[in-house]
């Protein structure tokens, strides 16, 4: 009973918060829907039936797409509670061999979030479509391009939503001040847009507590205005709820009515946010909030505008503000810009999230992802994307200066995302949820046919602003695919040029070089073998650290990897070599840890693996590249080491039942290191982390020696070795490949964030090894 009450309170809180963080863009749409719908030849049909027909189309579009498709169906098509295009693609990749990500291992399929309970592929007949895509790499590439194009359109939505929302919200000033020039409205909109994106940088999350009250006030306000207009102007408007008026509308307006669909579709812009933000609020609260509040309030508002327009069709260009009663006009003019800013914020955050997910699956250049530990779960901030969105939003506002043109671009972008979501979901119905092909076809035909009709109408508006998302998404698509192509070529080069472990082990425990105290973390994308980066380093500098760890940071097609299943550790060669391999498995929504936490986790994982090996969980002595084991840093073996903090170099806490291991460095080197680290005070915390052995937990002499060697190496220092790759196409490559590798990929590599920034590697212990890749 207590759990039920607690869950009910949590759901009620999520319902409340969802008003400000999910439905903003959808709720702000009444500002411009009727204006854009009557912007063309439809304005010549000044009849009540024409207005009722537009409202009827709006009603059934919201009901079919927003309510039935998204609220009832799509919210159930989740990936471990996550939604969005990347989530659908990940689901397809996990249930079929569609994924182009490298380093897939059978152990990845044992992650608890990899499979749904009760959804096994065993004893199921192979789908012909699944077999076709798995056999043809070109089909996999086409699927990836489809997802990347959809993601590009999501970014376009992140550009256009602030532009149209803010511009339409301040456009009402022209209704009050008849002589106000349009340039003044553009200037005010630009000031608000700059403030919106600057606040992203300085922490708009601090104002998140007022988002929901503003949106609730806005939704209730527009619903009340709608009810007033229904009673005041035309109570018969309820008759337009009948689909008969849709038939009458197209029969009488013909081509003009069909073209008007490009403006009517704006009534469902923002619907995709319900699915994209699913991971933050869960399906039930979103369904309740939309079905019980947002949906009826929007219908009342659109019905009220239709009632007003049926008697005042000449005001179609400013129908929203013209329909507001005089006592409420100034309150609405004040609340509208605030609601527009609140509506833009979740869309901007969703754009950050999509870019982060694209970067995780190696389809976007490296960016700096800042994880903000705020009220909004999973909130991140990407500086480069924020300023790019601001510049492009300002360019759209200043360049178009018209809600109709921005609306044409906005509608095409949102519609493209909706159509691609329908196609991916149809594949998922058949391949992921194993429903019949007819059920998938029914879903595709029912919703896809409506969306295609809207798309055909939107194509008529391409020259009137609709070209913008098409051009911009094409640019984003080229950037994403070129980066993915170059990254894949680099991985294949590493795979073909890796050094055999048997060759390394023939060199003996010293590897034919000088072994110095410390831990060397060598970053590589290879799951087996030694990367050419390591041998290239040893060729030029024949010395390395006593403990060598080959670290492979990989992305698994799941949203999150539980911390206890994140690290996969194995030993390379005999114990005397001191070589390990550590696979760090992240989901596409995981944020990589900072250097201090990651370093501690790696040491504790290796320590636990050493104890697991002694308990008989490892493979026999003498194996070259042993089977890896999942280690849990808080498991039963993780208590042999303890961590303490020291106030300065060489100082540590002591315990009667523990042994503090000192560094293997000389006093001179320790003093030099302490002096060097004073220049970076923020990095001193993890440098002061000291490990000790719990004598009571470590009775095996051999295990104690290995752990002591590991802790001594940690205290001596940790160095991060990463490869700085310079790709160049072969001399006999095609012209397109040379342009892609030598020009496009090279430009992106030089102008994106470095690998060290993307992996949060401290600069004071970073070693870069430059290599030329001829691909």
């Amino acid at each position: 009973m207590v759990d039920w009450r607690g869950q009910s309170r949590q759901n009620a809180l999520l319902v409340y918060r969802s008003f400000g963080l999910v439905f903003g863009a959808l709720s702000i749409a009444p500002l411009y829907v009727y204006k854009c719908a009557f912007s063309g030849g439809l304005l010549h049909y000044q009849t009540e039936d024409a207005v009722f027909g537009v409202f009827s189309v709006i009603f059934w579009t919201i009901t079919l797409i927003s309510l039935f498709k998204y609220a009832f169906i799509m919210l159930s098509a989740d990936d471990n509670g996550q939604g969005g295009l990347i989530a659908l693609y990940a689901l397809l990749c996990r249930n079929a061999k569609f994924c182009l990500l490298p380093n897939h291992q059978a152990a990845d399929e044992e992650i608890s979030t990899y499979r749904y309970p009760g959804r096994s592929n065993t004893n199921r007949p192979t789908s012909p479509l699944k077999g076709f895509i798995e056999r043809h790499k070109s089909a996999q590439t086409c699927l990836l391009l489809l997802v990347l194009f959809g993601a590009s359109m999501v970014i376009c939505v992140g550009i256009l939503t602030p532009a149209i929302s803010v511009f339409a919200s301040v456009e009402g000033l022209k209704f009050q001040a008849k002589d106000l020039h349009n340039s003044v409205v553009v200037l005010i909109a630009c000031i608000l847009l700059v403030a919106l994106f600057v606040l992203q940088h300085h922490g708009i999350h601090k104002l998140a507590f007022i988002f929901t009250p503003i949106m609730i006030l806005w939704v209730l306000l527009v619903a009340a205005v709608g009810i007033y207009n229904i009673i005041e102007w035309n109570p018969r408007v309820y008759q337009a709820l009948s689909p008969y008026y849709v038939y009458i509308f197209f029969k009488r307006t013909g081509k003009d009515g069909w073209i008007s669909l490009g403006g009517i579709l704006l009534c469902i812009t923002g619907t995709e946010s319900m699915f994209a933000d699913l991971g933050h609020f869960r399906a039930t609260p979103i369904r309740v909030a939309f079905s019980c509040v947002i949906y009826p309030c929007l219908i009342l508002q659109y019905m009220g505008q239709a009632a007003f327009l049926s008697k005042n069709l000449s005001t179609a260009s400013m129908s929203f503000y013209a329909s507001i009663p005089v006592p409420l006009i100034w309150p609405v003019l004040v609340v509208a810009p605030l609601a527009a800013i609140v509506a833009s914020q979740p869309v901007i955050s969703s754009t950050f999230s999509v870019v982060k997910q694209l970067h995780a699956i190696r389809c976007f250049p490296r960016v700096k992802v800042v994880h903000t530990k705020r009220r909004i779960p999973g909130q991140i901030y990407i500086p480069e994307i924020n300023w790019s969105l601001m510049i492009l939003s300002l360019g759209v506002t200043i360049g178009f200066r018209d809600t109709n043109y921005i609306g044409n671009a906005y509608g095409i972008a949102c519609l493209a995302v909706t159509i691609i979501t329908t196609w991916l979901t149809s594949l998922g119905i058949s391949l992921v949820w194993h429903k019949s092909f007819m059920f998938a076809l029914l879903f595709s035909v029912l919703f896809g046919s409506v969306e295609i009709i809207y798309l055909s109408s939107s194509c008529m508006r391409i020259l009137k602003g609709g070209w913008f998302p098409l051009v911009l998404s094409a640019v984003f698509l080229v950037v994403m695919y070129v980066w993915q192509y170059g990254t894949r070529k680099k991985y294949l080069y590493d795979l073909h040029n890796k050094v055999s472990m048997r060759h390394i082990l023939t060199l003996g425990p010293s590897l034919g070089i000088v072994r110095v105290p410390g831990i060397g973390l060598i970053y590589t994308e290879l799951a087996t073998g030694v990367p050419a980066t390591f041998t290239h380093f040893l060729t030029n500098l024949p010395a390395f650290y006593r403990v060598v760890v080959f670290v492979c940071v990989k992305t698994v097609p799941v949203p999150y990897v539980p911390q206890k299943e994140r690290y996969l550790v194995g030993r390379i060669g005999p114990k005397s070599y001191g070589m390990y391999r550590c696979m760090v498995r992240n989901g596409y929504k995981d944020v990589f840890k900072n250097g201090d936490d990651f370093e501690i986790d790696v040491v504790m994982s290796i320590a636990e693996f050493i104890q697991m090996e002694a308990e008989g969980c490892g493979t026999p002595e003498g194996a070259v590249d042993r089977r890896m084991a999942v280690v849990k840093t808080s498991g039963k073996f993780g208590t042999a080491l303890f961590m303490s903090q020291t106030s300065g170099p060489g100082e540590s806490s002591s315990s009667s039942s523990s042994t503090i291991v000192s560094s293997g460095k000389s006093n001179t080197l320790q003093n030099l290191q302490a002096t060097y680290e004073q220049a970076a005070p923020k990095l001193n915390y993890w440098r002061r982390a000291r490990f000790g052995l719990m004598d009571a937990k470590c009775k095996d002499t051999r295990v104690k020696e290995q752990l002591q060697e590991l802790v001594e190496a940690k205290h001596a220092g940790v160095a991060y070795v990463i490869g700085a790759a310079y790709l160049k196409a072969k001399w006999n490559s095609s012209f397109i490949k040379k342009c892609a590798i030598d020009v496009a990929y090279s430009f992106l590599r030089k102008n994106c964030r470095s690998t060290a920034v993307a992996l949060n590697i401290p600069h004071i212990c970073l070693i870069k090894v430059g290599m030329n890749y001829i691909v």
Side-chain angles (χ1 to χ4, degrees), residues 145 148-149 151-153 155-156 159 358 363-365 388 392 467-484 744 747-748:
L145 287 174
L148 295 183
F149 180 72
S152 301
M153 283 298 184
I155 298 175
C156 291
I159 296 167
L358 290 169
C363 291
F364 202 89
S388 299
L392 291 170
W467 57 268
F468 179 79
L470 298 177
V471 173
L472 197 61
S473 62
V475 173
F476 286 136
L477 181 62
V478 170
V479 169
M480 293 176 191
Y481 188 70
V482 165
W483 185 262
Q484 192 271 345
F747 174 81
L748 293 174

Side-chain angles (χ1 to χ4, degrees), residues 670-681 684 687 763-765:
Q670 291 185 38
N671 293 333
L672 180 63
Q673 176 181 330
T675 303
Y676 183 65
E677 288 173 356
Q678 288 178 356
N684 283 344
R687 281 293 189 186
H763 287 282
I764 65 171
C765 48

Side-chain angles (χ1 to χ4, degrees), residues 569 571 575 580 603-618 631 637 641 698 700 702-711:
V569 180
R571 185 187 293 277
K575 298 176 182 178
Y580 303 90
V603 172
M604 296 297 287
S605 298
I606 295 176
E608 183 171 350
F609 172 78
I610 291 173
Q611 297 167 84
M612 291 174 62
E613 193 177 38
E615 293 288 333
C617 301
V631 297
F637 299 109
L641 291 185
C698 190
D700 191 316
R702 292 175 299 176
V703 172
K704 187 174 183 179
E705 290 176 354
Q706 294 178 62
L707 293 176
Q708 186 169 349
E709 179 184 0
L710 176 65
V711 174

Side-chain angles (χ1 to χ4, degrees), residues 384-564:
E384 302 96 313
I385 303 301
N386 181 63
W387 302 126
S388 299
L389 293 178
M390 184 188 76
I391 293 172
L392 291 170
S393 291
L394 290 174
V396 168
T397 305
I398 297 172
F400 287 142
R401 294 170 168 259
D402 187 355
T403 306
N404 292 318
Y405 278 78
I406 302 175
N408 294 338
Y410 187 37
I412 288 180
C414 292
L415 188 59
V417 177
T418 303
I419 292 174
I420 294 173
T421 300
T422 300
W423 291 347
L424 293 178
T425 306
S426 299
L427 284 175
I429 290 173
S430 176
L431 304 181
V432 178
W433 298 286
H434 306 293
K435 304 297 182 182
S436 67
F437 175 77
M438 292 305 298
F439 189 81
L441 183 63
L442 177 63
F443 176 86
S444 181
V445 170
L446 177 61
F447 298 109
S449 59
V450 175
E451 294 160 359
I452 292 298
I453 292 173
Y454 274 106
L455 179 63
S456 65
S457 173
S458 298
C459 290
M460 303 298 295
R461 299 175 179 242
I462 289 179
L463 297 180
K464 297 181 179 180
W467 57 268
F468 179 79
L470 298 177
V471 173
L472 197 61
S473 62
V475 173
F476 286 136
L477 181 62
V478 170
V479 169
M480 293 176 191
Y481 188 70
V482 165
W483 185 262
Q484 192 271 345
Y485 178 76
T487 303
R488 181 156 45 92
K489 287 295 182 182
K490 176 181 175 295
Y491 170 76
L492 293 175
Y493 181 93
D494 281 333
L495 189 64
H496 295 152
N497 292 275
K498 67 180 180 180
V499 181
S500 171
M501 287 306 308
R502 295 188 182 276
H503 171 71
I504 292 292
L505 298 182
T506 56
L507 301 177
S510 67
L511 302 180
I513 58 175
V514 178
R515 303 292 290 270
V516 298
I519 298 178
L521 301 180
I522 305 166
Y523 281 81
T524 175
E525 291 191 359
L526 298 177
T528 59
V530 175
T533 305
F534 182 57
T535 55
H536 184 65
F537 178 86
L538 297 183
T539 301
N540 293 275
L541 182 63
F544 207 72
Y545 295 95
R546 188 169 296 160
V547 176
V548 179
V549 183
F550 293 99
V551 179
C552 176
V553 180
K554 59 184 292 187
T555 299
V556 183
V558 296
Y560 298 103
V561 176
Q563 179 65 24
K564 63 181 181 180

Side-chain angles (χ1 to χ4, degrees), residues 341-357:
I341 291 175
V342 173
S344 302
Q345 167 59 30
V347 179
I348 296 172
S349 298
S350 296
T351 306
F352 294 156
S353 179
V354 167
V355 171
K356 158 67 183 67
Q357 295 171 45

Side-chain angles (χ1 to χ4, degrees), residues 7-19 22-23 75 274 278 280-294:
Q7 188 175 1
S8 298
R9 283 195 296 268
Q10 186 179 14
N11 285 335
L13 178 62
L14 291 176
V15 168
Y16 171 77
R17 292 180 57 204
S18 68
F19 291 123
V22 176
F23 303 107
L75 292 184
M274 285 194 285
L278 180 59
H280 295 162
F281 298 96
R282 299 202 299 262
T284 300
I286 293 178
R287 283 196 184 103
V288 170
F290 180 76
S291 304
C292 299
V293 180
I294 300 297

